[in-house]
Amino acid sequence: MRASAQRVGVLFAVLLTCLASTGCRAAAQTIDLSRLVVEPNPRIGLSFPGSQVRYYHYMAGAGVGVARIAVTWQLIEPERGRYNWRGLDERVGALLALGIRPFLTFESKSDWGTRPETSKVKNGDPTDLGLWTGFVGRVTERYDGDGRDDMPGLKGRVVHYQAANEWESPTNPSGGWIGSGAALIAYINATHDAVKAADTQAVFVLGGIASFNLDVLLVALDRADFRVQQRWSEASTTVFDRDRIKSPDIAALIDERVMPVLREARYDIADAHLYGPEERDAARLALLAELSGRPVLSAECGGPSRDYGDDYTPEGHFLAAVHRHLNVLASGGAFCLWFRLGEDDKTTWGNRFTALYTNDARPKPGVWAFRMLARLLGPDVLPHPLPSGGFELRGSGDPVRLAWGEGAADVLDWAARGSTPAWCLIDPVQGTLAPVGADCAPGAFIVAGSDVARLLSLDP
């Protein structure tokens, strides 16, 4: 309690210093993030926007430049040799028309093409890998933009393809794999080879590892020591403590499935799914890069999560969107694909409120965070973590610093010492950044930099 009070005192002292300096006073204008008009930014993304393309313009309006959509075998080839491209063509075409790059995740769920005992997961085990890879090749050829067997009217191309989403568990309904590790590796390699045969320039991403399992890996390999949990409801939570994680069955799963897939499967990029505490992301991403020997991105991320007892707050939604995207980019990842466009009940309990929009299409605070990042993250700008928390964006122009919580005081001090304009988030619901002053709560989100006013202006 005494340490917390001391920290608040430090924040107020730094705030007063900033107010007394000419630099903080130079930030004279309030910034209304809700009024920013942005272009799609390929470093900001979204996962699973749904099949109703009439809502896709909401992504472009938030600055989303990459969108992940599912390619389900059963829906496109409901019977062997009979194809229905209408839905997928519509989604790919709509994304490209908006300037958003499609990211296609294959799902081998098929009533006729996979073993019946694997029908409860989305990564069904094909009865004939040749039939599956034929399908994969047709899809890739249709969207590679080479002018041969392309989708009619294709404007652009698809670069990223993925298979075997959340493959670690045989019971995961979001992906899963029922079968041996050897069969899984054969499935991944066959899918990779089919994509590359159709488009040598395509990028093949291994299916993502769930955040729960990444945390288990960190503890099991002695890279961290924390509790791992997922909440299914107010009253139901799965909890793995250190003893459970160090058990022989977990060790066997890692040795017999996880490590062989990461080391023996063919893929270009690994995928870390990121939920729960944002503070764990850097360790998760670093571990997966080490174990896979590949670059890492996040094709599914979101927050704030309720898995660890936190409640949804507007400020938490804004901060999670900023923190998660910059975590991935700072690790060298190409992008982070935020989980869902609009709210619905088809998520886990913990991730119920991650979506960018409410179910009646009202923007949530993460939209304002996306728009801000779409402006700040130019093609040559890279985020670098700050020692006390937050990030410095370096690249073209002067640096920009962003921080919140305990890191906010240091950014305010940096702004004061350099006579640098600074703003704080005073209203996450409306997306209002005010010049640093009396309305800034201790620990509030801070953005500071000499170029911020220009970059976040209505007419940049």
Side-chain angles (χ1 to χ4, degrees):
M1 189 70 175
R2 180 178 300 172
S4 177
Q6 289 174 342
R7 187 67 189 173
V8 170
V10 170
L11 287 166
F12 273 120
V14 172
L15 183 56
L16 290 172
T17 302
C18 195
L19 285 169
S21 73
T22 57
C24 286
R25 288 201 306 271
Q29 299 297 319
T30 295
I31 296 173
D32 185 351
L33 298 175
S34 72
R35 297 181 62 195
L36 293 187
V37 177
V38 297
E39 297 294 325
N41 187 319
R43 305 171 78 190
I44 299 169
L46 189 132
S47 189
F48 302 130
S51 60
Q52 301 298 314
V53 299
R54 65 180 182 273
Y55 297 120
Y56 283 11
H57 68 93
Y58 288 107
M59 282 190 287
V64 169
V66 183
R68 178 186 178 204
I69 57 178
V71 180
T72 306
W73 193 8
Q74 178 68 28
L75 296 179
I76 296 169
E77 191 180 4
E79 299 174 2
R80 181 176 176 178
R82 182 171 71 84
Y83 296 90
N84 178 7
W85 298 105
R86 179 178 176 181
L88 186 57
D89 282 355
E90 186 178 45
R91 288 180 286 156
V92 169
L95 291 172
L96 290 171
L98 289 166
I100 300 172
R101 303 175 184 182
F103 178 114
L104 303 188
T105 296
F106 287 108
E107 296 177 350
S108 53
K109 192 173 182 65
S110 169
D111 291 341
W112 63 270
T114 56
R115 293 192 295 118
E117 62 269 28
T118 68
S119 63
K120 292 184 179 180
V121 296
K122 291 184 177 180
N123 302 315
D125 186 5
T127 55
D128 183 334
L129 271 179
L131 295 177
W132 167 244
T133 57
F135 168 75
V136 170
R138 281 179 178 268
V139 172
T140 308
E141 184 61 57
R142 191 171 183 85
Y143 302 116
D144 64 0
D146 66 356
R148 184 179 70 252
D149 296 327
D150 285 350
M151 163 190 147
L154 182 68
K155 306 290 186 184
R157 64 185 295 256
V158 173
V159 173
H160 289 92
Y161 297 87
Q162 182 181 54
N165 183 56
E166 297 193 352
W167 43 269
E168 315 93 276
S169 166
T171 59
N172 187 338
S174 298
W177 178 262
I178 298 173
S180 68
L184 174 58
I185 293 170
Y187 167 81
I188 294 168
N189 289 347
T191 309
H192 164 276
D193 294 352
V195 168
K196 295 289 188 173
D199 183 358
T200 59
Q201 302 303 309
V203 175
F204 186 79
V205 182
L206 178 64
I209 297 182
S211 57
F212 186 99
N213 293 332
L214 286 170
D215 287 348
V216 168
L217 276 172
L218 283 168
V219 177
L221 299 178
D222 295 317
R223 309 301 177 84
D225 188 7
F226 45 54
R227 185 181 72 256
V228 181
Q229 67 183 55
Q230 183 166 0
R231 297 184 71 187
W232 306 104
S233 68
E234 286 278 7
S236 176
T237 305
T238 297
V239 179
F240 278 24
D241 60 14
R242 184 175 180 81
D243 288 343
R244 175 71 179 90
I245 292 170
K246 288 290 189 176
S247 64
D249 58 325
I250 296 294
L253 178 63
I254 294 171
D255 291 342
E256 296 171 11
R257 172 165 295 193
V258 175
M259 297 309 300
V261 168
L262 291 178
R263 291 171 175 169
E264 298 173 24
R266 291 191 284 275
Y267 57 98
D268 299 312
I269 300 177
D271 175 14
H273 290 180
L274 301 175
Y275 298 101
E278 290 87 1
E279 294 76 15
R280 297 182 181 181
D281 288 355
R284 294 163 167 171
L285 293 161
L287 179 65
L288 185 54
E290 175 191 335
L291 297 180
S292 67
R294 314 293 209 286
V296 178
L297 54 74
S298 180
E300 194 172 317
C301 62
S305 171
R306 299 187 294 172
D307 283 331
Y308 286 81
D310 296 329
D311 291 325
Y312 171 86
T313 65
E315 182 182 28
H317 196 253
F318 183 97
L319 294 178
V322 173
H323 200 175
R324 206 120 253 178
H325 275 84
L326 296 184
N327 278 339
V328 174
L329 296 176
S331 76
F335 44 71
C336 166
L337 305 184
W338 197 255
F339 185 57
R340 302 193 74 83
L341 183 60
E343 288 180 351
D344 59 32
D345 58 0
K346 299 177 182 178
T347 68
T348 62
W349 188 89
N351 295 330
R352 174 68 175 80
F353 297 111
T354 64
L356 286 184
Y357 293 84
T358 64
N359 58 10
D360 57 354
R362 287 181 290 113
K364 294 166 61 178
V367 173
W368 317 139
F370 271 49
R371 290 184 183 178
M372 178 186 70
L373 292 175
R375 289 284 191 88
L376 296 178
L377 291 171
D380 299 321
V381 174
L382 288 175
H384 296 265
L386 295 170
S388 59
F391 297 86
E392 180 173 277
L393 307 184
R394 304 172 193 166
S396 56
D398 292 332
V400 172
R401 289 193 175 188
L402 310 92
W404 52 94
E406 294 191 356
D410 285 345
V411 170
L412 286 171
D413 182 59
W414 174 79
R417 287 185 285 105
S419 296
T420 302
W423 290 258
C424 68
L425 181 68
I426 62 169
D427 187 345
V429 174
Q430 300 299 323
T432 306
L433 297 173
V436 164
D439 289 337
C440 296
F445 173 83
I446 301 290
V447 57
S450 58
D451 287 341
V452 169
R454 176 183 62 82
L455 291 169
L456 300 183
S457 68
L458 297 181
D459 186 19

